């Protein structure tokens, strides 16, 4: 007697739904930050006087909060469009590093899956996907897990942006200025602070941004990002020592007392 195939929902097997839900649970602790960051962007769009619909539209097409805020801030200061665009492109250059890390993880996926998941990828979902990929050797289960990581996270980001548009006028202006900039730098820098070159690039970028704070049109952010990328790439990678391994200088040589 043959076993009947498992019942599917919307053409998706129960195992894939379970994998998707596992991915959503893995990213869930980071979702409140996405909501708050989205609200900051939506409120900023309102403060600048841009159409409210532009905020959720930008969040669903650009899907990169730091560069979205950088563009709006540059426009608010009257910067030429080319400066706003170049600043956003420099900030988003980190996505090239993510693509290099995720390429072998995505390699077994069909083209439509690679394109869809790349479109949904953010700093946070890229980090979670990279850390958890080894637990999912089956490519089918892995892609559903990554969809669970990235899809709902982008969804709450867009909803947070829409909420910011609605609530923007009732949020004190001091709050908007107070937490938009720190969140922007946290979103850009924290996921990459895992090696000496990235730590150096972050420190240099922040120092340059603060030192050149009087530059017009937000050019200090552009200068800080470029300087951090350039000088951080010159910092050598320090090899990691396995946990419990004794440093070479701590091992006594033959003949030592």
């Amino acid at each position: 007697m043959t076993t009947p195939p498992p019942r599917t929902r919307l053409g998706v097997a129960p195992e894939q739904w379970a994998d998707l839900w596992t991915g959503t649970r893995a990213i869930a602790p980071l979702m409140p930050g996405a909501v708050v960051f989205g609200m900051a962007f939506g409120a900023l769009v309102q403060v600048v006087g841009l159409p409210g619909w532009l905020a959720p539209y930008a969040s669903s097409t650009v899907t990169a909060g730091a560069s979205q805020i950088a563009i709006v801030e540059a426009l608010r200061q009257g910067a030429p469009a080319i400066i706003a665009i170049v600043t956003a492109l420099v900030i988003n250059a980190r996505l090239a590093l993510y693509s290099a890390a995720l390429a072998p993880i995505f390699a077994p996926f069909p083209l439509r899956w690679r394109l869809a998941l790349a479109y949904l990828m953010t700093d946070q979902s890229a980090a979670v996907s990279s850390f958890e990929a080894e637990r999912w050797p089956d490519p089918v289960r892995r892609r559903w897990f990554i969809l669970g990581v990235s899809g709902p996270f982008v969804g709450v980001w867009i909803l947070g942006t829409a909420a910011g548009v609605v609530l923007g006028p009732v949020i004190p202006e001091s709050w908007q200025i107070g937490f938009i900039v720190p969140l922007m730098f946290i979103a850009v820098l924290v996921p990459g602070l895992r090696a000496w070159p990235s730590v150096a690039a972050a420190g240099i970028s922040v120092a340059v941004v603060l030192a050149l704070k009087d530059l017009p049109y937000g050019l200090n952010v552009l200068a800080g990002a470029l300087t951090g990328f350039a000088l951080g790439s010159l910092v050598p990678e320090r090899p990691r020592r396995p946990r419990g391994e004794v440093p070479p200088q701590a091992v006594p040589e033959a003949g030592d007392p």
Side-chain angles (χ1 to χ4, degrees):
M1 180 176 179
T2 59
T3 303
R7 297 180 61 183
T8 63
R9 287 183 294 170
L10 302 177
V12 179
E15 185 179 53
Q16 275 69 63
W17 282 116
D19 297 335
L20 186 143
W21 176 238
T22 301
T24 302
R25 292 203 310 270
I27 197 74
L30 301 178
M31 287 184 177
V35 174
V36 175
F37 197 19
M39 291 179 65
F41 175 68
L44 179 62
V45 168
Q46 284 289 75
V47 170
V48 173
L50 295 173
W53 61 265
L54 188 62
Y57 174 78
S59 292
S60 58
T61 54
V62 180
T63 320
S67 60
Q68 290 172 216
I69 287 181
I71 290 174
V72 175
E73 283 284 5
L75 294 177
R76 179 166 71 166
Q77 297 179 28
I82 186 63
I83 291 180
I85 293 172
V86 171
T87 301
L89 289 175
V90 170
I91 292 175
N92 277 355
R94 71 192 188 281
L95 298 177
L97 301 177
Y98 297 160
S99 68
L102 293 171
I105 297 174
F106 283 25
F109 301 165
L111 177 61
R112 65 181 184 278
W113 276 88
R114 296 200 303 269
L115 294 176
L117 293 177
Y119 180 80
L120 295 172
M121 200 55 55
T122 63
D123 301 86
Q124 296 84 355
S125 56
V128 173
S129 299
S130 298
F131 297 154
E132 299 289 338
E134 293 183 356
R135 294 178 49 201
W136 304 89
D138 179 8
V140 175
R141 299 193 64 186
R142 186 194 312 158
R143 70 194 188 210
W144 280 96
F145 169 81
I146 295 176
L147 179 61
V149 169
S150 53
F153 189 82
V154 170
V156 299
W157 157 248
I158 296 171
L159 292 176
T161 302
V165 173
V166 175
L167 300 176
V170 301
I171 297 176
E173 186 173 353
S174 59
W175 287 19
Q176 295 166 7
I177 302 301
F179 70 78
I180 285 176
V181 175
L183 281 175
M184 179 180 70
F185 280 102
I186 289 171
V188 174
L189 298 177
V190 168
L193 299 183
R194 305 186 184 278
W196 282 107
S198 57
V199 172
I204 293 169
S205 298
V206 171
V208 172
V209 168
L210 294 176
L212 302 180
K213 60 183 177 61
D214 294 327
L215 286 180
Y217 306 137
L219 286 173
N220 59 324
V221 176
L222 178 59
L226 290 173
T227 306
F229 287 150
L231 297 183
S233 64
L234 302 178
V235 176
E237 178 76 52
R238 177 178 294 183
R240 294 185 177 180
R241 194 168 55 247
R243 183 176 298 179
E245 182 178 321
V246 180
Q249 62 269 24
V251 179
E253 296 182 1
D256 286 350

